[in-house]
Amino acid sequence: MKIAILTGGGDCPGLNAVVRGVTKSALKKGWEVIGYKDGFRGLVEDRHVKLEDRDVSGIIIRGGTILGTSNTANPFAYTIAPLGSPDKPKDLSSLAVSNLKKLGVDALVAIGGDGTLNMAKKLYDRGVAVVGVPKTIDNDLSATDVTFGFDSALKVATEAVDKLHTTAESHHRVMILETMGRYAGWIALRAGIAGGGDIILIPEIPYRAEDIVAAVRERRSRGKNFSIIVVAEGAKPEKGEITVSKVVNGSHDLLRLGGVSYKIAEIIEKRINVECRVVVLGHLQRGGEPTPFDRWLSTGFGAHAVELIEKRRFGRMVSFKNFACTSVTLSDAVGALRRIKPDSQEVLAAIQVGTSFGNSRLTRKLPQFPGSQ
Ligand code: F6P
């Protein structure tokens, strides 16, 4: 048996732990393992390395991916020169399939987010034996309770909230922390709750300028002369749009979000005599070593992917449901985004401890935290 691994899309902590988990489990069964370099780019360009035990030994702690990745390499619409062209994407999926055949690869493990899993599904539809592993710091895949990378990003964001508290308090300022997460607010919500943020703004609860200002004023009326606002990059006003920072051609999702926190600062400084400062946390959330939870989850995912291959259960993605590894079909995996429900227990709990979500009209209508009256 010969299997291949690739890591696609944006990197995140825990990728190496999955590569290690897959490789070690497969080697133990006497299988051969190769890794494609730079995601689907390496598959199309036929660039790969053999993975032995020594190659994956000690990498569980390392962030990033030893295999490299690409967020623009799509075998079905290839835009990277010299094989493709940015103006005229080429369908090089046949080349990808024949490269796998040429090497004698029996199964491919594709580790990535929505984009990578979409391409993996298409390759499966073309007859390739594929197993997917869900990765993203955004935690927004509906077919799994959690993705690896999220906990590590959350740790970075929570530490940032903690650190901002002391400087905000000393200067009597409003500090605004912008987190990643695309169209879901998981990092902002959980870091905001864990760090005791005063206002949390997420895409799932569009904000109203007057309510953000009212929340800061209300704190000041209680003698709290500083406020911490945690805002997800995808947050948007009730009657407005998300803030786009750039467009990346060839990427699965062309839009890169960012900059909404500067709009929030402007809203507040225009109406209240208070200094605001903005911190956009950016790629720090994706860097560095994975947390113990992410190393544990990634190891379980890697081992489970090999089990799926052994049982020839292809076209599936490993997932984590009710505190156990299981799997779903790739078609189920790539459909819907997992976003925060405004009436979820964690949002209600945050409201109960006094957190504002910048939209009193909406949050007033929500039920009480279960059990409280
Ligand atoms: O999907 C992961 C993610 O980090 C998002 O949270 C963020 O919006 C985006 O990727 C950033 O992408 P890039 O690395 O291309 O700037």
Side-chain angles (χ1 to χ4, degrees):
M1 189 82 172
K2 185 173 190 174
I3 67 165
I5 312 173
L6 63 80
T7 55
D11 73 312
C12 87
L15 279 171
N16 282 328
V18 180
V19 171
R20 172 183 176 271
V22 172
T23 306
K24 281 191 178 263
S25 311
L27 292 176
K28 208 153 179 249
K29 293 183 189 298
W31 301 357
E32 210 180 310
V33 185
I34 66 149
Y36 279 107
K37 301 292 283 180
D38 305 329
F40 282 110
R41 182 168 184 183
L43 175 55
V44 169
E45 295 175 0
D46 202 19
R47 287 188 291 113
H48 48 84
V49 287
K50 194 163 189 223
L51 291 175
E52 304 282 9
D53 196 73
R54 63 173 175 274
D55 300 310
V56 296
S57 172
I59 66 169
I60 193 168
I61 192 174
R62 271 174 64 183
T65 161
I66 59 162
L67 293 176
T69 187
S70 164
N71 66 355
T72 50
N74 177 354
F76 296 87
Y78 206 75
T79 54
I80 305 168
L83 295 177
S85 108
D87 321 320
K88 249 187 148 199
K90 269 196 209 157
D91 183 353
L92 295 180
S93 52
S94 302
L95 179 60
V97 175
S98 72
N99 282 343
L100 285 165
K101 279 200 183 128
K102 196 172 70 186
L103 263 187
V105 171
D106 298 299
L108 174 68
V109 180
I111 312 167
D114 213 34
T116 304
L117 296 170
N118 248 296
M119 294 170 217
K121 186 196 165 292
K122 283 175 150 181
L123 282 177
Y124 173 68
D125 294 340
R126 294 276 312 260
V128 178
V130 180
V131 165
V133 182
K135 162 242 69 164
T136 170
I137 63 163
D138 304 337
N139 202 28
D140 60 353
L141 294 181
S142 60
T144 182
D145 289 348
V146 66
T147 52
F148 71 85
F150 172 63
D151 189 61
S152 305
L154 185 58
K155 179 171 178 270
V156 174
T158 305
E159 280 169 5
V161 179
D162 292 347
K163 290 197 162 92
L164 289 178
H165 255 106
T166 51
T167 169
E169 197 167 5
S170 309
H171 281 272
H172 317 298
R173 279 175 173 160
V174 172
M175 299 296 296
I176 305 167
L177 178 75
E178 182 172 317
T179 64
M180 281 184 164
R182 282 196 212 268
Y183 309 102
W186 293 106
I187 302 175
L189 175 66
R190 299 253 170 104
I193 291 175
D198 306 302
I199 302 172
I200 300 174
L201 304 177
I202 54 176
E204 294 87 343
I205 304 181
Y207 64 80
R208 288 155 44 90
E210 57 269 43
D211 286 342
I212 297 172
V213 172
V216 175
R217 282 211 174 106
E218 192 274 331
R219 278 179 58 76
R220 284 159 73 89
S221 72
R222 287 189 285 119
K224 302 270 191 187
N225 286 329
F226 73 96
S227 290
I228 304 286
I229 304 182
V230 186
V231 51
E233 62 181 1
K236 57 178 184 186
E238 210 173 44
K239 290 189 189 103
E241 295 304 319
I242 46 169
T243 310
V244 174
S245 65
K246 71 194 293 184
V247 173
V248 180
N249 288 321
S251 176
H252 176 67
D253 182 348
L254 301 182
L255 303 185
R256 291 298 175 275
L257 310 183
V260 61
S261 44
Y262 292 98
K263 295 182 179 168
I264 307 295
E266 205 182 312
I267 287 172
I268 297 168
E269 283 186 335
K270 262 193 187 155
R271 294 163 172 87
I272 307 178
N273 184 20
V274 64
E275 265 192 323
C276 294
R277 292 290 185 270
V278 165
V279 176
V280 180
L281 208 42
H283 291 80
L284 280 175
Q285 290 158 101
R286 295 220 312 244
E289 59 187 41
T291 58
F293 177 83
D294 277 338
R295 295 178 207 183
W296 171 80
L297 183 65
S298 301
T299 302
F301 274 176
H304 200 73
V306 169
E307 207 177 303
L308 287 177
I309 294 172
E310 190 166 37
K311 292 185 178 144
R312 307 198 65 77
R313 299 187 74 203
F314 300 121
R316 302 187 73 79
M317 180 194 85
V318 301
S319 80
F320 194 70
K321 290 266 177 197
N322 305 319
F323 270 89
C325 283
T326 176
S327 69
V328 294
T329 64
L330 278 171
S331 327
D332 286 341
V334 294
L337 277 187
R338 199 174 74 88
R339 303 181 77 214
I340 298 162
K341 293 191 178 75
D343 61 353
S344 62
Q345 210 180 53
E346 57 188 307
V347 171
L348 300 180
I351 293 170
Q352 180 151 316
V353 299
T355 311
S356 163
F357 281 86
N359 190 329
S360 61
R361 214 159 53 181
L362 198 148
T363 48
R364 214 181 300 126
K365 288 190 208 133
L366 294 175
Q368 295 256 308
F369 183 78
S372 69
Q373 267 327 311

